[in-house]
Amino acid sequence: MAVRVAVAGASGYAGGEVLRLLLAHPGVRIGALTANSNAGQRLGAVQPHLLPLAGRVLEATTADVLAGHDVVFLALPHGQSAAVAAELGEGTLVVDCGADFRLKDAGEWERFYGSAHAGTWPYGLPELPGGREALKGARRIAVPGCYPTAVSLALAPAYGAGLAEPEAVVVAASGTSGAGKAAKPHLLGSEVMGSMSPYGVGGGHRHTPEMIQNLSAAAGERVTVSFTPTLAPMSRGILATCSAKARPGVTAEGLRSAYEKAYADEPFVHLLPEGQWPATAAVYGSNAALLQVALDEAAGRIVVVSAIDNLTKGTAGGAVQSMNIALGLPEDLGLAVTGVAP
Amino acid sequence: MAVRVAVAGASGYAGGEVLRLLLAHPGVRIGALTANSNAGQRLGAVQPHLLPLAGRVLEATTADVLAGHDVVFLALPHGQSAAVAAELGEGTLVVDCGADFRLKDAGEWERFYGSAHAGTWPYGLPELPGGREALKGARRIAVPGCYPTAVSLALAPAYGAGLAEPEAVVVAASGTSGAGKAAKPHLLGSEVMGSMSPYGVGGGHRHTPEMIQNLSAAAGERVTVSFTPTLAPMSRGILATCSAKARPGVTAEGLRSAYEKAYADEPFVHLLPEGQWPATAAVYGSNAALLQVALDEAAGRIVVVSAIDNLTKGTAGGAVQSMNIALGLPEDLGLAVTGVAP
Amino acid sequence: MAVRVAVAGASGYAGGEVLRLLLAHPGVRIGALTANSNAGQRLGAVQPHLLPLAGRVLEATTADVLAGHDVVFLALPHGQSAAVAAELGEGTLVVDCGADFRLKDAGEWERFYGSAHAGTWPYGLPELPGGREALKGARRIAVPGCYPTAVSLALAPAYGAGLAEPEAVVVAASGTSGAGKAAKPHLLGSEVMGSMSPYGVGGGHRHTPEMIQNLSAAAGERVTVSFTPTLAPMSRGILATCSAKARPGVTAEGLRSAYEKAYADEPFVHLLPEGQWPATAAVYGSNAALLQVALDEAAGRIVVVSAIDNLTKGTAGGAVQSMNIALGLPEDLGLAVTGVAP
Amino acid sequence: MAVRVAVAGASGYAGGEVLRLLLAHPGVRIGALTANSNAGQRLGAVQPHLLPLAGRVLEATTADVLAGHDVVFLALPHGQSAAVAAELGEGTLVVDCGADFRLKDAGEWERFYGSAHAGTWPYGLPELPGGREALKGARRIAVPGCYPTAVSLALAPAYGAGLAEPEAVVVAASGTSGAGKAAKPHLLGSEVMGSMSPYGVGGGHRHTPEMIQNLSAAAGERVTVSFTPTLAPMSRGILATCSAKARPGVTAEGLRSAYEKAYADEPFVHLLPEGQWPATAAVYGSNAALLQVALDEAAGRIVVVSAIDNLTKGTAGGAVQSMNIALGLPEDLGLAVTGVAP
């Protein structure tokens, strides 16, 4: 029997991507779709690519509307999930694509978000050590941020195998959909086409503590992360270039071997053959993460580059994958690793 | 039992898209993959987005390699399909994504292609009048060109209903994948990003006689087409702006009604609600064609705009849809109408 | 002695481009810069590419601030120019980049803009017949719209020489800067990258009556224009594909000759050598218009394609060129025909 | 009297940009233009944006053709400059945009380029300590690589002031014109639009030893550089994100002060106001370099981001600036710091 699913925030990019994936998922039936300012509109007017749902009308985001579903995806601005979740029964699987329940450290939450910490839910990145177990049977799931997904997949094996010093340097390029659908001048097509620019430099990006949390857990010690996100002239995709000093004795073979071992059985994380580097185009619309590793002997650093689709593996795909695990469905049900290219 | 499928020309854009769609098709098993200059390489090296087939090795395009499959897709440069098809048994379904068998008029073929006409096969555009019937049980299919698909879907109903004078004017913008994967300087990213340019102006584009063939059949009289293709800074998509003088007495309601009637039951062709215009992003990777119509009363013209993905509905999606019909499978099996956006 | 120039609307795209050109103009001194919502900000915060003016502070748009300059460029939302101009002395040259004073027919203005007609000023397209004379010594100039510039330059010679039937069909692709800097969801980078879409189809675009005005004047009879603008994934540029039925007896040679004659002495309008078609990249940041013509004998139509930079020749370059003429300066002073490519 | 200038390699991107800048330079007269495979063609056929030179015919690259000019710019594939330069008199200023004479260490040259070292010429980055002096009166100049320009300007002040540990980490995004105009499949528009990808990871990029040379000179000790270049979906621009561990006691104020001091009098290098970060769009076509600095206290790192146009300040602008210095002309003659945006 099909699982009944509602999506709150269906007019935004994350919510739209959840729906795109659910439309290809054989085990679900799409129920209520809600929005805030777009409530009352046809979905087709705001998400014209979701043709099979074009005639659906967006409802207001209320607990009444969302009740009565087996699964509720929340794709809301941060700070709004706790109130909604509180009104949904404990038997309902709530998958939060927002930030509210990702961090364990209340102090870090407050420092970066400036509000009271709502709590911590099981974390929707099954490829981390112990990650899959934590999701089985869960009824509350915090989907990771897009950057932390790309970076944690890239560096956790190196830290897990003790190959890297605990000071990571990450520069990541993101497509503009990561900045959401709210109209802001610096996100206009005229501004972003033909341009690369950084933002949140110097440690200020809200995804930094989430990366530190994940990498520190893998390393068994506190890892610092120097993180610079950049906005790239493309709609989707994250390319994360991650590096750290190699510990003494690390070899190129040992490095590669640690990654082969870490991801040998993972359906969605692929270490590319030697000599081939990830491109975000190859994962466009796909739930795959592509990785490649190198040991820069002259500089003494491990370099790992990962590519994901920020909306798919980085948000909605990770959410559906986590739902599958929580519900005991095949983990890859409805999720493609084939990208749309060129 | 799964249909066994081979793809000739698997390293190019059309062949790659056929494979992308076949990977999502529940009724097929992917067999031989062939190429010319890329034979011997892993598919993953040239089509990194086709992750499930990354380890497959490309073979040379020979009849031996292609034999023994139920269906063979040909995605070859024009002029090469006839020889390959001649060696494949009559029971094998051969779906040609190239131009060789699209035109009925040998003189037109020779004028535009400069070589002997190979023949005419059933035409893979089921939405044209009589188009679906011609494909049932077929074992040879000529898939339409991407521009003729967009333009014929846009104008055939107007001509079929006698609403338009037989002189069409078409300006279409295409993504660069329509020009193929052969490296030419004018197709470099540096050249195409930030630029729009026309080509084949003044009647010279090889897709023109195919449009004339389709629209004349719909009109029951010879239709001329002034066709200007333009290259747009995007990888995929065709936006075709098509117009013709309205016949006396045509009304906006009558126009809309003709299109509603023509496409009411079509799974892949959608007339958008009034006021909403097609965007190519909405059909990215999808087999849908989106249409909108207007009557410009001041200019006395019918204007129809269509958007398709040139690689999907415009090539590989049309090919798979035609295969489904020919084999008696559900026409939309494995074919999404959901686009990947934003 | 340098001409003292003020720019109202300096934070927008048109105003920014006026400033970019004035910075390279040897005969001017840049005075007051005004804005509305951005008043009080450093120009560098909103126009970071105008580095030599980065420290200038934007003032509010008032007659007091604008007074005392020899030339005032207005780059304001339509409907605001008349009030500002009324307060500036008759000796001040006012160059309006907006629509308010372009149309001669008050009825057409009211139909398309829904407000009272403010009047008609000399029209800043010197390449039209009589256009240059009308600008000499002028103290009020209405700069044409970007689309009418591209289309009028493309078709006026054909109409002037009596080669074309008075029913033009125009499909034009524009970069997103033509839609301005106000943040709207459909103009987000995420929406426009990878997508082509039409708007204002069926005669509704406000630039249509301006094209009709120009082409009718050239033809000496009423010309209708079926105009479809499309939004292209690029920041700048217009590619206009224009066609009309050829009058009996028109030849390819006669057509080409009419254009050679029309633009032989023009510094900014170039008919390309036969076989070469315009690309918008070639005029990026340049005040040139590139044209090519063809006679499609099978369809019986003249086809003319023009490429301009919508912000330069299509707005600010045309404005500076008109200023030069009005002030008796060399027409091309400070205006490059070299584009920035690739 | 105007300086007579020849450009060898005028059909490529670097040569085309040299010409674009020379067309705006009041002190030069453009003489011979040469090419290899494009010799015999009109320049307008291969560089349509250089409209004033469209009728010029490209000659073969020979010493005879290049002789008799005061200045010769070489924009040739690496390995070809020495032979050409040897035939030009010592009084001729030869400005080499290629790599041949950039490195001081013959061993490094051989390791990265696999051929014999041709020698070392004065280095065309006047903003480095002592850089300007070395160019005065020079008759041979090696223009830096585009990445080393961006990175050296970003990090030299930190090393010069002793603020950073000698292990730099650099991730840079480049527009595709940096890869040149030779048609290669991975540079097709279809491949690069919508995609970010790294290359030359792990120390293999040929620009690495040049960065090390410059930064080591600034630091007075050997600096290692972990360098990852990435290809971004844009035609022009480099955004370099550079970081290094801060030395003990470094403060944000001290860091900023070092950069203010280093570039206070530089016409082309601008430290942005606090809070504003560089975007490549702001330097499109401009010879400016924009910088911003941050101290990431949590990670203990100095982060410097620089933006340049790879073809302008990164190649041709640096070349013309160096020519100006060598010839005793005003350093900024003919060179704009205004970018073309949006």
Side-chain angles (χ1 to χ4, degrees):
Chain A
M1 206 190 75
V3 173
R4 297 166 62 221
V5 180
V7 177
S11 59
Y13 289 146
E17 184 73 351
V18 168
L19 286 170
R20 184 179 76 81
L21 297 177
L22 294 178
L23 280 166
H25 193 292
V28 304
R29 209 175 68 208
I30 298 173
L33 308 181
T34 79
N36 292 321
S37 59
N38 291 300
Q41 290 203 58
R42 293 170 48 256
L43 186 69
V46 292
Q47 306 273 29
H49 63 298
L50 302 175
L51 207 55
L53 301 170
R56 289 287 197 89
V57 175
L58 291 161
E59 300 180 79
T61 303
T62 66
D64 270 5
V65 170
L66 297 172
H69 296 83
D70 304 306
V71 182
V72 176
F73 287 93
L74 302 180
L76 303 171
H78 72 81
Q80 301 188 4
S81 298
V84 174
E87 298 199 56
L88 298 171
E90 291 186 3
T92 304
L93 170 56
V94 181
V95 183
D96 186 13
C97 297
D100 297 26
F101 297 95
R102 292 174 189 159
L103 294 184
K104 292 177 178 161
D105 184 321
E108 287 285 72
W109 173 271
E110 285 157 22
R111 181 155 45 252
F112 279 85
Y113 291 88
S115 60
H117 189 222
T120 311
W121 287 355
Y123 190 71
L125 194 53
E127 293 88 355
L128 290 184
R132 191 164 277 113
E133 285 309 307
L135 295 169
K136 290 184 180 164
R139 284 300 172 265
R140 294 291 184 272
I141 294 173
V143 177
C146 51
Y147 286 122
T149 296
V151 172
S152 302
L153 294 175
L155 285 179
Y159 283 115
L163 307 179
E165 298 290 343
E167 299 178 328
V169 177
V170 175
V171 179
S174 172
T176 54
S177 61
K181 207 172 180 174
K184 296 172 188 167
H186 75 286
L187 297 175
L188 285 172
S190 301
E191 301 292 316
V192 298
M193 288 186 283
S195 196
M196 294 281 310
S197 58
Y199 60 102
V201 189
H205 194 281
R206 284 167 167 169
H207 284 180
T208 307
E210 195 180 338
M211 295 177 200
I212 291 172
Q213 174 175 291
N214 294 346
L215 298 181
S216 298
E221 64 178 318
R222 172 84 180 176
V223 174
T224 64
V225 179
S226 162
F227 173 52
T228 305
T230 65
L231 195 65
M234 58 189 190
S235 292
R236 289 172 172 241
I238 286 180
L239 187 83
T241 302
C242 311
S243 70
K245 271 183 102 152
R247 286 229 155 113
V250 170
T251 63
E253 296 67 31
L255 175 65
R256 187 164 185 85
S257 164
Y259 279 78
E260 284 171 347
K261 196 169 146 193
Y263 296 129
D265 299 325
E266 288 297 339
F268 294 116
V269 184
H270 289 252
L271 180 67
L272 289 168
E274 288 190 64
Q276 188 175 358
W277 287 87
T280 62
V283 293
Y284 201 94
S286 137
N287 201 49
L290 301 180
L291 300 186
Q292 185 55 288
V293 299
L295 180 64
D296 181 340
E297 302 204 5
R301 294 184 77 87
I302 289 166
V303 185
V304 189
V305 181
S306 62
I308 63 168
D309 185 318
N310 60 305
L311 290 179
T312 319
K313 181 58 179 163
T315 306
V320 171
Q321 182 184 354
S322 297
M323 174 195 80
N324 285 342
I325 296 171
L327 299 181
L329 299 170
E331 185 171 334
D332 61 354
L333 196 64
L335 290 170
V337 294
T338 308
V340 184
Chain B
M1 207 191 73
V3 173
R4 297 166 64 221
V5 181
V7 177
S11 59
Y13 289 147
E17 184 75 352
V18 168
L19 286 171
R20 186 179 74 83
L21 298 176
L22 293 178
L23 280 166
H25 193 293
V28 305
R29 209 177 68 209
I30 298 173
L33 308 182
T34 78
N36 291 320
S37 58
N38 291 300
Q41 290 204 58
R42 292 170 48 255
L43 187 69
V46 290
Q47 306 274 28
H49 62 297
L50 302 175
L51 207 54
L53 300 171
R56 289 287 196 91
V57 174
L58 291 161
E59 301 179 78
T61 303
T62 66
D64 270 5
V65 169
L66 298 171
H69 296 84
D70 303 307
V71 182
V72 176
F73 288 92
L74 302 179
L76 303 171
H78 72 82
Q80 302 189 1
S81 298
V84 174
E87 298 199 53
L88 298 171
E90 291 187 4
T92 305
L93 171 55
V94 181
V95 183
D96 185 12
C97 296
D100 298 25
F101 297 94
R102 291 172 188 161
L103 294 184
K104 293 177 179 162
D105 184 320
E108 288 286 70
W109 173 270
E110 285 157 23
R111 181 155 43 254
F112 279 85
Y113 291 88
S115 59
H117 188 221
T120 312
W121 286 354
Y123 190 71
L125 194 53
E127 294 87 355
L128 290 185
R132 191 164 278 112
E133 284 309 308
L135 294 169
K136 290 185 180 163
R139 285 300 172 263
R140 294 291 184 273
I141 294 174
V143 177
C146 51
Y147 286 121
T149 296
V151 172
S152 302
L153 293 175
L155 285 179
Y159 282 115
L163 305 180
E165 298 291 344
E167 299 178 326
V169 177
V170 174
V171 179
S174 173
T176 53
S177 61
K181 207 172 179 173
K184 297 173 188 165
H186 76 286
L187 297 175
L188 285 173
S190 300
E191 301 294 315
V192 299
M193 288 187 283
S195 195
M196 294 281 311
S197 57
Y199 60 102
V201 189
H205 194 280
R206 286 169 165 166
H207 284 180
T208 307
E210 194 180 337
M211 297 177 197
I212 292 172
Q213 175 175 291
N214 294 346
L215 298 181
S216 298
E221 63 177 318
R222 171 85 180 176
V223 174
T224 64
V225 179
S226 162
F227 173 52
T228 306
T230 65
L231 195 67
M234 57 189 191
S235 292
R236 288 174 173 241
I238 286 180
L239 187 84
T241 301
C242 312
S243 71
K245 271 185 103 153
R247 287 230 154 110
V250 171
T251 62
E253 296 69 29
L255 175 63
R256 188 167 183 83
S257 163
Y259 279 78
E260 284 171 346
K261 197 169 144 193
Y263 296 128
D265 300 325
E266 287 298 339
F268 294 115
V269 185
H270 289 252
L271 180 66
L272 289 169
E274 288 190 63
Q276 188 174 357
W277 288 87
T280 62
V283 292
Y284 201 95
S286 138
N287 201 48
L290 301 180
L291 301 185
Q292 186 53 288
V293 299
L295 180 63
D296 181 339
E297 302 204 4
R301 293 184 78 87
I302 289 167
V303 185
V304 189
V305 181
S306 62
I308 62 168
D309 185 318
N310 60 306
L311 290 179
T312 320
K313 181 58 179 163
T315 307
V320 171
Q321 182 183 353
S322 297
M323 174 195 78
N324 285 343
I325 296 170
L327 298 181
L329 299 170
E331 185 170 335
D332 62 353
L333 195 64
L335 291 170
V337 295
T338 308
V340 184
Chain C
M1 204 192 74
V3 173
R4 297 166 62 221
V5 181
V7 177
S11 59
Y13 289 146
E17 184 73 352
V18 168
L19 286 170
R20 185 179 74 82
L21 298 176
L22 293 177
L23 280 166
H25 193 292
V28 305
R29 209 176 67 208
I30 298 173
L33 309 182
T34 79
N36 291 321
S37 58
N38 291 300
Q41 289 204 59
R42 293 171 47 256
L43 186 68
V46 292
Q47 306 274 27
H49 62 297
L50 302 174
L51 207 54
L53 301 170
R56 289 287 197 89
V57 174
L58 291 161
E59 300 180 79
T61 303
T62 67
D64 270 5
V65 170
L66 296 172
H69 295 83
D70 304 306
V71 182
V72 176
F73 287 92
L74 302 179
L76 303 170
H78 74 81
Q80 301 188 5
S81 297
V84 174
E87 298 198 55
L88 297 171
E90 290 185 6
T92 305
L93 170 56
V94 181
V95 183
D96 186 12
C97 297
D100 296 25
F101 297 95
R102 292 174 188 159
L103 293 184
K104 292 177 178 161
D105 184 321
E108 288 285 71
W109 172 271
E110 284 158 22
R111 182 155 43 253
F112 279 85
Y113 290 88
S115 60
H117 188 221
T120 311
W121 287 355
Y123 190 71
L125 194 53
E127 293 88 355
L128 290 185
R132 190 164 278 112
E133 284 309 307
L135 295 169
K136 290 184 181 164
R139 285 301 171 265
R140 292 293 185 271
I141 294 173
V143 177
C146 50
Y147 286 122
T149 296
V151 172
S152 302
L153 293 175
L155 285 179
Y159 283 116
L163 306 179
E165 298 291 343
E167 299 178 328
V169 176
V170 176
V171 179
S174 173
T176 53
S177 62
K181 207 172 180 174
K184 297 172 188 167
H186 77 284
L187 297 174
L188 285 173
S190 301
E191 301 293 314
V192 299
M193 287 186 284
S195 195
M196 294 281 311
S197 58
Y199 61 101
V201 188
H205 195 280
R206 284 166 167 170
H207 284 179
T208 308
E210 195 180 338
M211 295 176 200
I212 291 172
Q213 174 174 292
N214 294 346
L215 298 181
S216 298
E221 64 179 318
R222 172 83 180 177
V223 174
T224 63
V225 180
S226 162
F227 174 52
T228 306
T230 65
L231 195 66
M234 57 189 191
S235 291
R236 288 172 173 242
I238 286 180
L239 187 83
T241 302
C242 311
S243 70
K245 271 184 104 153
R247 288 228 154 114
V250 171
T251 63
E253 295 69 30
L255 175 63
R256 187 163 185 88
S257 164
Y259 279 77
E260 284 170 347
K261 196 169 146 193
Y263 295 128
D265 299 325
E266 288 296 340
F268 294 116
V269 184
H270 289 253
L271 180 67
L272 289 169
E274 288 190 64
Q276 188 175 357
W277 287 87
T280 62
V283 292
Y284 201 96
S286 138
N287 201 47
L290 300 180
L291 299 186
Q292 186 53 287
V293 299
L295 180 64
D296 182 338
E297 302 205 6
R301 294 183 77 88
I302 289 166
V303 184
V304 190
V305 181
S306 63
I308 62 168
D309 184 318
N310 60 305
L311 289 179
T312 319
K313 180 58 180 165
T315 306
V320 170
Q321 182 184 354
S322 296
M323 174 195 80
N324 285 343
I325 296 171
L327 298 181
L329 300 170
E331 185 170 334
D332 61 354
L333 196 64
L335 290 170
V337 294
T338 308
V340 184
Chain D
M1 207 191 76
V3 172
R4 297 167 62 221
V5 181
V7 177
S11 59
Y13 289 146
E17 184 74 352
V18 169
L19 286 171
R20 186 179 75 81
L21 297 176
L22 293 179
L23 280 166
H25 193 292
V28 304
R29 208 177 70 210
I30 298 174
L33 309 181
T34 77
N36 290 321
S37 59
N38 291 300
Q41 289 204 60
R42 293 170 48 256
L43 186 69
V46 291
Q47 305 274 28
H49 62 297
L50 301 175
L51 207 54
L53 300 171
R56 288 286 196 92
V57 174
L58 291 162
E59 300 179 79
T61 303
T62 65
D64 269 5
V65 170
L66 297 172
H69 296 84
D70 303 306
V71 182
V72 176
F73 287 92
L74 302 180
L76 303 171
H78 73 82
Q80 301 189 2
S81 297
V84 174
E87 298 199 54
L88 298 170
E90 290 187 4
T92 305
L93 170 56
V94 181
V95 184
D96 186 12
C97 297
D100 297 24
F101 297 94
R102 291 172 189 160
L103 293 185
K104 292 175 179 162
D105 184 320
E108 287 286 70
W109 173 270
E110 285 158 23
R111 182 156 41 255
F112 278 86
Y113 291 88
S115 58
H117 188 221
T120 311
W121 287 355
Y123 190 71
L125 194 53
E127 294 87 357
L128 290 185
R132 191 164 277 112
E133 285 310 307
L135 295 169
K136 290 185 181 164
R139 284 300 172 263
R140 293 292 185 270
I141 295 173
V143 178
C146 51
Y147 286 121
T149 297
V151 172
S152 302
L153 293 175
L155 286 179
Y159 283 116
L163 306 179
E165 299 290 345
E167 300 178 326
V169 176
V170 175
V171 179
S174 173
T176 53
S177 61
K181 207 173 180 173
K184 297 173 188 165
H186 76 285
L187 297 174
L188 285 173
S190 301
E191 300 294 314
V192 299
M193 288 187 283
S195 196
M196 294 281 311
S197 58
Y199 61 101
V201 188
H205 195 280
R206 285 169 166 168
H207 284 179
T208 308
E210 194 180 337
M211 297 177 197
I212 291 173
Q213 175 175 292
N214 294 345
L215 299 180
S216 298
E221 63 178 318
R222 171 84 180 177
V223 175
T224 64
V225 180
S226 162
F227 174 50
T228 306
T230 65
L231 195 67
M234 57 190 191
S235 291
R236 288 174 174 243
I238 286 180
L239 187 83
T241 302
C242 312
S243 70
K245 271 185 103 154
R247 287 229 155 111
V250 170
T251 63
E253 296 68 30
L255 175 64
R256 188 166 185 85
S257 164
Y259 280 78
E260 285 171 345
K261 197 169 146 194
Y263 295 128
D265 299 325
E266 287 298 338
F268 295 115
V269 185
H270 288 252
L271 180 67
L272 289 168
E274 288 189 63
Q276 188 175 356
W277 287 87
T280 62
V283 291
Y284 201 95
S286 137
N287 201 49
L290 300 180
L291 300 186
Q292 186 55 286
V293 299
L295 180 64
D296 181 339
E297 303 205 4
R301 293 184 78 86
I302 289 167
V303 184
V304 189
V305 181
S306 63
I308 63 167
D309 185 318
N310 59 306
L311 290 180
T312 320
K313 180 59 178 162
T315 307
V320 171
Q321 182 184 352
S322 297
M323 174 194 79
N324 285 342
I325 296 171
L327 298 181
L329 299 169
E331 184 171 335
D332 62 353
L333 195 65
L335 291 170
V337 296
T338 307
V340 185

